[in-house]
Amino acid sequence: MPWILAGGGVLVIGIAALLFFTLGGGGGGNSTAKGAAESFAAALTAKDFEKMRSLTCPEYQARVDDMRKLYDAEGQLDEIEKQLESLPAEMREQAMKSIEAAKNIKFTATATDVKETSDTTAEATMTVKYENVPEDMKTIMKDQEDTLYLDKTDDGWVACDK
């Protein structure tokens, strides 16, 4: 499963890894590849890291934990403020406006075209669509589509990198 990074610069550090990887979870369980892919997409949209972690193979669960840290609003705001201290006042003010505008960004992940490629592997198309993206962030916050790879385990289907 290719990892998608939405990043770039001080202005978007709080959302820099909005899509550290294209996975989602939360609706249909993981007894089928389709259910796991749809559940993963729902969890990504809801930022339900526990659900995402449960739908990820063990060797990649640390990446979900990293995402959780990136979404820690308090921690991110502290880090952003530290980075902005060295900027001239005018640039700092503009950066804070961009950060405030970024709070309105929403995204929706969906999984479609789920195909079992063997008894134990499957692929799905993962699409992420953004809303309310400020003009100055549109070059880095674009709708994305990628492949989500799934493996069948004793506990059901889980997202796993290929």
Side-chain angles (χ1 to χ4, degrees):
M1 148 187 73
W3 306 101
I4 295 178
L5 298 176
V10 172
L11 299 180
V12 293
I13 194 167
I15 55 171
L18 187 60
L19 294 175
F20 190 77
F21 60 100
T22 4
L23 299 177
N30 70 335
S31 61
T32 66
K34 183 177 185 203
E38 290 173 349
S39 291
F40 201 91
L44 178 61
T45 299
K47 299 176 193 143
D48 182 346
F49 301 108
E50 287 306 313
K51 183 68 171 178
M52 288 174 62
R53 200 171 196 287
S54 75
L55 293 166
T56 304
C57 61
E59 57 268 33
Y60 292 104
Q61 289 177 354
R63 292 185 184 183
V64 176
D65 297 338
D66 290 340
M67 280 183 70
R68 181 190 317 258
K69 291 175 192 169
L70 289 169
Y71 278 105
D72 173 22
E74 283 292 315
Q76 288 300 314
L77 195 51
D78 290 344
E79 182 62 31
I80 291 168
E81 287 176 358
K82 286 178 191 172
Q83 291 184 18
L84 294 179
E85 287 174 359
S86 63
L87 294 177
E90 185 177 307
M91 289 180 72
R92 190 169 44 247
E93 183 179 321
Q94 182 59 41
M96 290 307 289
K97 286 180 183 175
S98 291
I99 291 165
E100 194 60 36
K103 291 178 182 179
N104 296 319
I105 295 173
K106 304 236 184 293
F107 71 91
T108 304
T110 56
T112 57
D113 302 323
V114 182
K115 294 178 182 77
E116 291 188 28
T117 54
S118 76
D119 290 343
T120 59
T121 61
E123 296 179 4
T125 300
M126 182 66 65
T127 304
V128 178
K129 297 208 177 266
Y130 291 92
E131 298 174 41
N132 305 322
V133 177
E135 197 60 42
D136 62 341
M137 295 181 190
K138 286 188 176 182
T139 59
I140 57 171
M141 302 294 292
K142 296 179 180 180
D143 292 351
Q144 301 176 30
E145 184 176 285
D146 218 327
T147 302
L148 173 67
Y149 296 98
L150 301 136
D151 288 345
K152 188 174 185 179
T153 68
D154 291 341
D155 297 324
W157 290 88
V158 295
C160 214
D161 203 1
K162 295 290 176 214

